[in-house]
Amino acid sequence: MSAERAAGVGGRPRVRTGAGVVEGRTGAAGTAVFLGIPYAAPPVGALRFAAPAPPVAWDGVRDAGAFGPTAPKVAYPDTFAALLPDPEIPGDDCLSVNVWTPDPAPGARLPVMVWIHGGAHTRGSSAVPVYDGSAFARDGVVLVSFNFRLGVLGYGLFPDAPANRGLLDQIAALEWVRDNIGAFGGDPARVTVFGESAGAISIGSLLAAPRAFGLFAQAVLQSGAPEVLPRAKVRTMVRRMASLLKVDATAAAFTGTALPDLLAAQAVVLRKSGPLLGGPAFGLVTDPGTVPDDPLDALATGAASGGVPLLLGWTSEEYRLWLAPTGGMRLLDRMGPLAVRLAAVRAGKDRAAVRALRAALPVASPAEFAGQLLTDGLLRDPLRRLAGARRPAPSFLYEFGWPSGVPGLGACHALELGFVFDMLAAPEASWLAGPDAPQALADEMHAAWVRFALTGDPGWAAWNGDGPPKVFGGPERDRAQEPTATRPVLP
């Protein structure tokens, strides 16, 4: 790939990529921003359920001043839509990357961070305002984000299509970074991938995927542990959709179905799916072409990515985002001891583990105790297992403990995102954080992520299998405070 830096209209920065020249915009503090650059061909028609194909080259200069289309998806239910911004941008060319860079010049060799968004493998995009990369570029890091196929399009399991297409998209985006990021001032040998929730789960599989080897040097997993779903559970989602659509459960039949009808059927089957249920869902599966073995086992035993430094962590009350908006906390409190027993089974906890946790949480309500059991099973236990594995590279653990100003949310899932990106000023950040979130905490957390990208050390000791994680924030605020948020008060 040849690279060039030039000034376009009004001094706008230009960069030559492998597919053609793109023209971005000048951002804050002299940074440059390039949005909506295709890394693969539009996944439409015969490509709807195919592996990603190379982008179509263009002549002249392509405008890169706006986010590209978001991947087809269904909206969050209203209770979550009030908390989680998820813009929808129409169009077919949804497989695109965005770049924020301090110096769009070949030879700058700056560290690169590549963001993989969350959303339960069914929602989300790189256009969420909280994911703006300006603060990273301000602090000397090239920030890349991208879209990938979601839901049945990215993760539906078919007999006549490759599995894990969303992961294949992510690998294609990382290959684009390898081949093109030098032209934007980045160093392809200094790439850190980071992601939250389903994005972190995806990184767990990327760490174990032979096809992704060498595409990044470090990884950050926020509130998501390496996992794969039983193939039967993913296949069940496809069969349920096929029954609704009255077509065969094949990629060929789903390709012949209008996209609005496909998404409407997906919306129906998603109502019975969720991170706490353990039933059928869309997600990653083991597959010879992408993830040949269980990624957590492969990583914990040193069979994969042993030389990749890891930053791993969670929030203190992950479960509150999953339960509070829907009234689930009240339901579990009414269930009492039964809720605790069911959560222990779902989390794989024996009686001794339940007793030990109860001793640590003597005044927790049934809902709070069940929620912590579930958080342990889904996140803390597997991430501790990974961090405590005898790997050549270090692992660093953290916990985000600052409670939201939105009553009922506490230190919930996804709350740390506005702090990591140093984007508390974005109006959408207050949807989860409420008013008056502490900028000093954002300064601390964002600086740790930047330091990890620069040096491989976020600023505290690597975890040795024992002791507490590094804690950001804490329960210094009174959770019984009077409601002050402008967002809806949660049950």
Side-chain angles (χ1 to χ4, degrees):
M1 183 203 72
S2 62
E4 69 177 24
R5 183 185 183 189
V9 176
R12 291 174 179 171
R14 287 182 177 179
V15 168
R16 179 174 294 279
T17 74
V21 177
V22 291
E23 182 176 272
R25 300 292 187 272
T26 299
T31 60
V33 184
F34 301 84
L35 305 176
I37 307 170
Y39 70 83
V44 296
L47 296 179
R48 178 181 280 184
F49 294 100
V56 179
W58 58 87
D59 296 324
V61 177
R62 182 185 180 101
D63 183 60
F67 286 109
T70 51
K73 57 190 173 181
V74 299
Y76 281 113
D78 290 345
T79 50
F80 292 104
L83 299 167
L84 302 172
D86 195 15
E88 184 172 347
I89 303 171
D92 294 330
D93 209 356
C94 63
L95 301 183
S96 63
V97 302
N98 316 295
V99 181
W100 288 259
T101 175
D103 185 6
R109 312 298 287 183
L110 298 169
V112 180
M113 296 191 75
V114 179
W115 171 248
I116 303 179
H117 71 79
H121 304 291
T122 56
R123 298 174 173 97
S125 79
S126 62
V128 173
V130 176
Y131 304 157
D132 187 289
S134 297
F136 283 103
R138 175 200 67 201
D139 294 333
V141 174
V142 179
L143 192 286
V144 179
S145 63
F146 60 89
N147 296 332
F148 49 93
R149 280 173 286 183
L150 303 168
V152 70
L153 300 172
Y155 299 96
L157 195 56
F158 298 96
D160 54 341
N164 298 330
R165 291 172 302 280
L167 193 74
L168 290 174
D169 292 345
Q170 294 169 18
I171 293 171
L174 288 168
E175 290 172 338
W176 183 95
V177 170
R178 176 197 62 196
D179 297 339
N180 293 275
I181 205 62
F184 294 85
D187 185 347
R190 301 175 68 194
V191 173
T192 299
V193 291
F194 71 127
E196 185 266 347
S197 193
I201 293 170
S202 297
I203 291 172
S205 285
L206 289 169
L207 284 161
R211 292 183 59 172
F213 180 76
L215 294 177
F216 53 91
Q218 303 181 143
V220 183
L221 282 71
Q222 301 172 212
S223 299
E227 70 170 24
V228 284
L229 298 179
R231 296 175 71 91
K233 289 188 176 182
V234 181
R235 187 73 174 140
T236 293
M237 295 291 277
V238 174
R239 288 176 175 147
R240 287 177 177 176
M241 288 183 62
S243 177
L244 290 170
L245 294 165
K246 296 180 171 51
V247 299
D248 293 333
T250 64
F254 277 43
T255 297
T257 302
L259 185 59
D261 295 336
L262 208 62
L263 293 178
Q266 179 173 291
V268 172
V269 300
L270 283 176
R271 292 172 193 159
K272 298 181 179 180
S273 173
L276 301 183
L277 301 178
F282 291 115
L284 294 154
V285 297
T286 55
D287 170 70
T290 47
V291 188
D293 301 297
D294 182 283
L296 181 58
D297 289 343
L299 293 167
T301 59
S305 297
V308 177
L310 301 176
L311 175 55
L312 314 165
W314 51 79
T315 70
S316 298
E317 299 171 297
E318 300 271 3
Y319 63 92
R320 286 185 175 273
L321 181 65
W322 306 326
L323 296 174
T326 60
M329 297 290 290
R330 288 200 306 263
L331 174 62
L332 293 181
D333 277 336
R334 288 197 299 269
M335 293 172 64
L338 176 60
V340 173
R341 289 197 295 270
L342 293 174
V345 171
R346 174 75 176 95
K349 296 284 190 179
D350 60 21
R351 290 183 179 179
V354 173
R355 285 196 297 269
L357 185 61
R358 173 53 79 186
L361 302 170
V363 298
S365 71
E368 291 169 338
F369 191 57
Q372 293 293 7
L373 284 169
L374 292 166
T375 300
D376 276 354
L378 291 173
L379 295 174
R380 292 194 189 99
D381 291 347
L383 288 175
R384 283 196 180 102
R385 179 189 172 201
L386 178 53
R390 295 184 179 275
R391 306 171 65 251
S395 296
F396 303 89
L397 276 186
Y398 77 89
E399 178 173 306
F400 183 84
W402 181 81
S404 169
V406 178
L409 284 186
C412 70
H413 189 69
L415 180 58
E416 88 284 2
L417 292 173
F419 296 82
V420 168
F421 278 86
D422 192 10
M423 284 296 295
L424 295 181
E428 292 81 0
S430 68
W431 293 15
L432 273 184
D436 305 320
Q439 180 59 44
L441 183 55
D443 294 341
E444 180 189 8
M445 199 169 195
H446 175 75
W449 265 238
V450 170
R451 177 172 173 172
F452 184 68
L454 292 171
T455 69
D457 179 354
W460 61 91
W463 205 61
N464 61 6
D466 192 20
K470 157 71 176 178
V471 176
F472 289 98
E476 70 277 3
R477 296 178 57 169
D478 179 8
R479 291 196 182 96
Q481 65 185 336
E482 289 299 316
T484 57
T486 58
R487 306 299 296 171
V489 175
L490 300 176

